[in-house]
Amino acid sequence: MDVHGRDLRYFVAVAEELNFTRAAERLFISQPALSKRIRVLEKQLGADLFLRDRRTVRLTAVGEVLLPRARGVLSVWCSAEAAVVRAREDERSTLVVGMSTSPGRGLLPALRARVVSRHPAARLVVRQVTWADPSAGLADGSTDVAFVWLPLPEAERYRCAVVAHEPRWVALPEGHPLAARAAVDEEGAVDFADLLDEPFLALPPEAGPLRDHWLALDARGGREPRIGGVVASAEETHEGVANGQGVVLLARGNAPLVVRDEVVALPVRGVSPSRLAVAARQGDHRPLVRAYLAAATLVGSGLTAGGACAGPSPTG
């Protein structure tokens, strides 16, 4: 028996009004059309639903049994319709992707292609955020997902998919004595111990544990770093190094952002690798957010949640 949802809705209207004329007005159809649909439903069920005379309309025993169940079916269907509308709107919505600098490494086109293949109507928009916000807009809600370096402040607020593990390098002036020393090193690298007395360029204090990471507090044995300046962009970093304000640690893949005009970058021994991740807020399970994290998981090294966004402790 295939009963049309429309006929159940008509039945409920008549049952609640106990008047075909008022029910027809409520449903915006003619009374004859309503009466016809009720007769069709009664024929399908094999039983009368209403007792009719010239003055009154009453539910039969069968009608009394059907009424609460018909209301339940219609309620479930209304919920389903609302869910479909929400899903359709999500499919067509905009996803704001935050970043402090371009992630490079082919990540943006790779993730975009995967997301759009599943959600063709989605619109992905990139938003640039200052280095003072290590969450790249997630913290204040101005972005939906973001490329971030770990560890994140308040890491429990986020879930992350790591997309790159990279060694930390150091950027320094081309004429720096350590650059000359590295030139004759088999690996072309410098030891972090040789950098301990150097002034370092640091992220703004608001960056919290990420500032500590790029100062390599975990490799200093408790020695406080010398801060030669505070930088909040790749251009400021290049200028600070070129002008001799200090050296700076950076991920190998970000070296091209500052290496030019007599600034060089070299591998560093004695510090842990850096981790680039795609992050989203905990509890944000919108389809496009889930799709972007899923794409990042496939492209990178896997999905981690909650405190895993924190990374290693700065004290070791």
Side-chain angles (χ1 to χ4, degrees):
M1 178 190 313
D2 295 322
V3 174
H4 201 290
R6 173 195 59 195
D7 293 340
L8 290 179
R9 187 166 66 252
Y10 289 177
F11 160 71
V12 169
V14 175
E16 291 177 346
E17 298 291 344
L18 293 178
N19 183 291
F20 275 79
T21 300
R22 289 197 300 269
E25 291 172 351
R26 169 175 156 182
L27 294 166
F28 300 102
I29 63 172
S30 67
Q31 182 176 333
L34 175 59
S35 297
K36 179 180 179 181
R37 294 313 311 172
I38 294 298
R39 288 195 296 270
V40 169
L41 180 59
E42 289 175 326
K43 184 176 180 180
Q44 285 182 289
L45 296 174
D48 291 338
L49 299 173
F50 297 100
L51 297 172
R52 311 165 179 85
D53 58 33
R54 292 183 178 182
R55 293 187 175 183
T56 63
V57 175
R58 292 179 292 124
L59 282 167
T60 64
V62 173
E64 294 280 2
V65 169
L66 178 61
L67 180 57
R69 292 163 176 82
R71 284 172 171 156
V73 169
L74 293 175
S75 176
V76 170
W77 178 245
C78 285
S79 295
E81 283 186 313
V84 168
V85 169
R86 288 194 300 271
R88 187 173 65 238
E89 290 174 348
D90 285 338
E91 287 278 356
R92 297 172 179 172
S93 64
T94 297
L95 186 76
V96 182
V97 182
M99 61 190 67
S100 56
T101 56
S102 173
R105 305 159 179 85
L107 291 170
L108 273 178
L111 297 185
R112 177 184 292 273
R114 288 182 181 274
V115 171
V116 172
S117 70
R118 298 289 302 274
H119 302 270
R123 180 170 174 259
L124 275 60
V125 176
V126 171
R127 183 173 184 270
Q128 203 84 15
V129 180
T130 173
W131 288 0
D133 178 7
S135 77
L138 291 176
D140 65 10
S142 59
T143 62
D144 302 309
V145 295
F147 287 90
V148 298
W149 289 99
L150 303 182
L152 278 176
E154 300 182 285
E156 70 280 356
R157 296 179 57 189
Y158 311 104
R159 62 194 194 278
C160 299
V162 176
V163 292
H165 290 82
E166 292 188 352
R168 281 184 276 182
W169 284 29
V170 62
L172 36 73
E174 189 175 40
H176 195 286
L178 288 176
R181 189 185 306 177
V184 298
D185 183 272
E186 290 184 2
E187 300 176 1
V190 297
D191 293 310
F192 186 70
D194 294 329
L195 295 168
L196 290 176
D197 293 326
E198 295 288 332
F200 270 69
L201 301 179
L203 293 181
E206 307 93 281
L210 190 59
R211 185 180 198 258
D212 297 343
H213 174 75
W214 294 116
L215 291 172
L217 293 195
D218 58 332
R220 290 180 177 270
R223 293 177 60 177
E224 288 294 321
R226 292 174 57 203
I227 306 300
V230 175
V231 291
S233 69
E235 190 58 36
E236 289 181 14
T237 302
H238 169 77
E239 292 299 324
V241 174
N243 292 333
Q245 288 180 263
V247 302
V248 65
L249 293 179
L250 70 170
R252 178 182 59 191
N254 282 354
L257 297 175
V258 298
V259 173
R260 62 183 188 279
D261 302 332
E262 300 182 347
V263 172
V264 298
L266 303 168
V268 179
R269 288 185 292 254
V271 290
S272 59
S274 54
R275 298 193 299 162
L276 178 63
V278 171
R281 287 178 292 276
Q282 291 282 17
D284 188 349
H285 298 295
R286 289 173 294 164
L288 286 183
V289 172
R290 292 201 309 269
Y292 207 88
L293 277 177
T297 302
L298 291 173
V299 168
S301 59
L303 183 66
T304 56
C309 291
S313 166
T315 59

